[in-house]
Amino acid sequence: MIDNHNNNNNNIPSNHPRAKSLAIRELLVSGFTSGLVVSEGLIAHGRGEAFDYLLGEKTSTYAFDAIKAAASLLLLAERPVISVNGNTAALCPKDVVELANETGSLLEVNLFYRTNNREILIAEILKKNGASIVLGVGQKKFVKIPELTSNRRHVDSEGIFLADVVFVPLEDGDRTQALINMNKKVITIDLNPLSRTSQTATISIIDNIVRSIPELVKTAKQLKHMNKNSLLNILSNFNNQYNLDNSLRIIRGRSEL
Ligand code: ATP
Ligand code: MG
């Protein structure tokens, strides 16, 4: 969560009207400087920011519903895996580790721009924040997802490859489709309700990752004491198309003169 990181944020006055947004940028810039984040990741964040502006920079009721469904699906899964890229590791490493602990999920590094150095850096930051095992590091255990050509096709044979539910915040559309084609359920966080990822995932949380991962942790803590039928009930009442349509409606409503 951004409040826990004070890296370069000292130059941003707390009463600045864009303080939160600037603090998020600072986290990414310091992630870029340390080699966690690639320059393309900074640009991808820019696309996300534009949608956040249009959404009013707050978690909508539809995103809260998606978070509840996502927490239920992770808790019901047999082999849930959380896929972590550079931007996610720079923005909310502590919350990602906590989410893995609360939902019994494995953590796997998965990078579009993959280098061994970045794999190691991301695994290190997750471990510094409490993770004991991080998959997706080193070549030996990788297998390829059918149909994909990008570096993201390499997945850990003990992680995403075997998972029944994969949580892929800030994902690329091609891989989301490929994971769905492998009969996996896919949860994403993506501020753009029109992206191929949002349109293809099983559950799309249309929200900023810095708000929704802490909220997912809180929700998982509440729901983990519920029985299986209650969790199944939450899932069957969730409709992703309705969620996407209404998220777009918020943007349309805010852009009308
Ligand atoms: P797709 O491949 O799914 O069509 P894309 O090519 O437009 O999407 P990518 O660069 O593949 O985009 O993925 C980045 C996605 O992450 C974008 O849709 C962007 O809106 C979203 N994003 C960036 N930063 C954040 C953030 N902080 N929180 C949530 N979503 C974000
Ligand atoms: Mg893409």
Side-chain angles (χ1 to χ4, degrees):
M1 196 168 167
I2 56 170
D3 297 344
N4 298 342
H5 296 82
N6 219 12
N7 310 351
N8 294 346
N9 302 350
N10 298 336
N11 357 353
I12 305 168
S14 56
N15 62 350
H16 190 291
R18 313 278 320 134
K20 271 193 194 158
S21 168
L22 294 175
I24 299 171
R25 286 187 182 177
E26 291 295 336
L27 283 178
L28 287 167
V29 169
S30 84
F32 176 71
T33 312
S34 67
L36 275 181
V37 173
V38 286
S39 47
E40 291 82 353
L42 299 179
I43 297 169
H45 181 73
R47 171 137 57 212
E49 264 190 353
F51 280 98
D52 208 12
Y53 211 111
L54 289 168
L55 285 159
E57 295 175 311
K58 55 175 192 254
T59 307
S60 71
T61 54
Y62 309 104
F64 277 117
D65 287 346
I67 286 169
K68 206 167 166 191
S72 304
L73 185 56
L74 285 170
L75 290 167
L76 285 166
E78 307 237 318
R79 288 189 73 97
V81 176
I82 301 174
S83 173
V84 183
N85 66 11
N87 283 31
T88 303
L91 290 174
C92 41
K94 190 164 168 282
D95 302 289
V96 164
V97 174
E98 209 179 341
L99 182 65
N101 291 341
E102 290 301 329
T103 58
S105 302
L106 294 168
L107 289 163
E108 176 168 338
V109 179
N110 198 270
L111 304 173
F112 196 94
Y113 302 97
R114 188 182 274 281
T115 63
N116 193 238
N117 191 37
R118 286 187 73 223
E119 285 171 9
I120 292 168
L121 276 175
I122 292 170
E124 267 172 11
I125 190 160
L126 293 175
K127 286 186 176 164
K128 223 183 267 171
N129 281 280
S132 46
I133 301 171
V134 180
L135 302 172
V137 183
Q139 297 282 330
K140 274 179 276 166
K141 291 182 297 173
F142 284 156
V143 286
K144 287 181 191 167
I145 302 181
E147 304 166 39
L148 268 190
T149 49
S150 82
N151 262 336
R152 277 198 162 173
R153 73 182 181 276
H154 300 288
V155 294
D156 198 301
S157 59
E158 290 167 17
I160 290 175
F161 187 70
L162 291 182
D164 54 344
V165 174
V166 195
F167 179 35
V168 287
L170 321 184
E171 182 59 64
D172 182 56
D174 286 356
R175 199 170 75 124
T176 307
Q177 185 62 59
L179 293 171
I180 294 276
N181 293 350
M182 290 170 80
N183 286 326
K184 298 180 192 301
K185 298 221 163 87
V186 176
I187 302 165
T188 193
I189 297 176
D190 191 328
L191 278 157
N192 178 4
L194 292 168
S195 76
R196 292 171 309 154
T197 305
S198 296
Q199 295 281 331
T200 319
T202 317
I203 299 173
S204 311
I205 302 167
I206 308 300
D207 193 23
N208 198 317
I209 191 170
V210 301
R211 294 190 297 267
S212 36
I213 297 216
E215 190 60 35
L216 255 173
V217 172
K218 202 169 106 192
T219 309
K221 279 185 179 156
Q222 287 160 357
L223 297 187
K224 72 195 281 189
H225 306 292
M226 287 174 77
N227 63 37
K228 196 175 163 187
N229 277 344
S230 309
L231 296 176
L232 284 169
N233 207 25
I234 291 172
L235 273 182
S236 63
N237 284 325
F238 177 78
N239 180 323
N240 207 37
Q241 197 52 55
Y242 177 83
N243 162 42
L244 293 172
D245 291 347
N246 280 295
S247 303
L248 265 178
R249 204 160 285 141
I250 295 173
I251 294 175
R252 263 204 303 276
R254 285 179 53 85
S255 8
E256 270 170 14
L257 290 175

